Amino acid sequence: MAIKAEVSEKNIRKSIEKIITRYSNLLPNLSKYKDSKINQELWDIRSDLEFLSIEMKHILEKDIIEERWQKSFLNELKGTGLKTKAIPMLSVYSKTKNSLITLFDKDKEKCYRYLWKLKETITVVLSAFPTVKFSWKDGKLVKESEEIFEI
């Protein structure tokens, strides 16, 4: 017998608040953190957004299939894995948790689209913040250390 998880609007609101708070706290600190930390934070937020989008699809009673607007959006994201493009793209999705909760209450479909686009944008820009950097030294590919040494 399968256990059916209960998806409630109250739980979705809580998830939106937690995710957007973490995202909002990360954005102003992008220049302060190492790429590996940014990558990990974005990956965690993206993971939570994935679960949230599934829950929202359940509430909206949507099919799992990809919709036309999603395909169009994904095509627009191609070639945006550079840091110079990534940071402005992430800033586009800077909303307060209260404004998203209000959007969720007024128009769940628009809220779903916003969060889905944020998730996909994060997916694309993750490569701009690599967890490990490599460089060429003496004709070999060498892993760079993120440690900072003072001389």
Side-chain angles (χ1 to χ4, degrees):
M1 183 164 105
I3 299 173
K4 185 177 179 182
E6 185 178 325
V7 177
S8 72
E9 290 185 17
K10 182 180 177 182
N11 289 340
I12 289 176
R13 280 187 197 89
K14 284 181 185 178
S15 293
I16 290 171
E17 287 180 3
K18 287 179 185 176
I19 293 167
I20 295 305
T21 297
R22 286 180 20 229
Y23 185 70
S24 297
N25 290 336
L26 175 64
L27 280 180
N29 294 305
L30 287 175
S31 62
K32 297 176 188 172
Y33 294 148
K34 294 179 183 178
D35 285 355
S36 59
K37 179 170 176 54
I38 295 168
N39 183 288
Q40 185 60 54
E41 292 292 323
L42 287 174
W43 182 256
D44 291 344
I45 291 168
R46 189 230 171 273
S47 173
D48 291 343
L49 284 167
E50 185 70 47
F51 285 115
L52 182 59
S53 70
I54 292 168
E55 290 175 338
M56 289 187 75
K57 272 194 165 200
H58 178 75
I59 291 281
L60 294 169
E61 298 177 356
K62 290 188 145 302
D63 292 332
I64 299 297
I65 60 170
E66 192 172 68
E67 297 179 43
R68 187 177 305 152
W69 66 267
Q70 291 172 313
K71 290 177 185 177
S72 296
F73 185 78
L74 291 173
N75 283 334
E76 292 172 18
L77 287 179
K78 289 182 179 174
T80 55
L82 300 173
K83 193 181 291 190
T84 54
K85 292 181 180 180
I87 293 173
M89 285 180 66
L90 291 171
S91 297
V92 167
Y93 294 95
S94 178
K95 285 194 181 234
T96 65
K97 64 182 177 184
N98 292 335
S99 66
L100 271 178
I101 295 300
T102 301
L103 180 61
F104 177 75
D105 290 338
K106 287 183 179 179
D107 191 338
K108 288 171 183 45
E109 175 74 25
K110 280 186 181 177
C111 186
Y112 166 75
R113 286 181 181 216
Y114 173 87
L115 294 169
W116 185 88
K117 287 178 179 182
L118 173 59
K119 174 183 65 91
E120 293 304 321
T121 300
I122 289 173
T123 301
V124 170
V125 302
L126 275 172
S127 62
F129 307 100
T131 55
V132 178
K133 290 186 181 182
F134 291 92
S135 63
W136 285 100
K137 290 186 182 173
D138 299 325
K140 295 181 182 178
L141 194 60
V142 179
K143 183 170 126 178
E144 289 183 14
S145 171
E146 285 193 1
E147 295 176 26
I148 299 172
F149 296 98
E150 291 186 27
I151 299 177

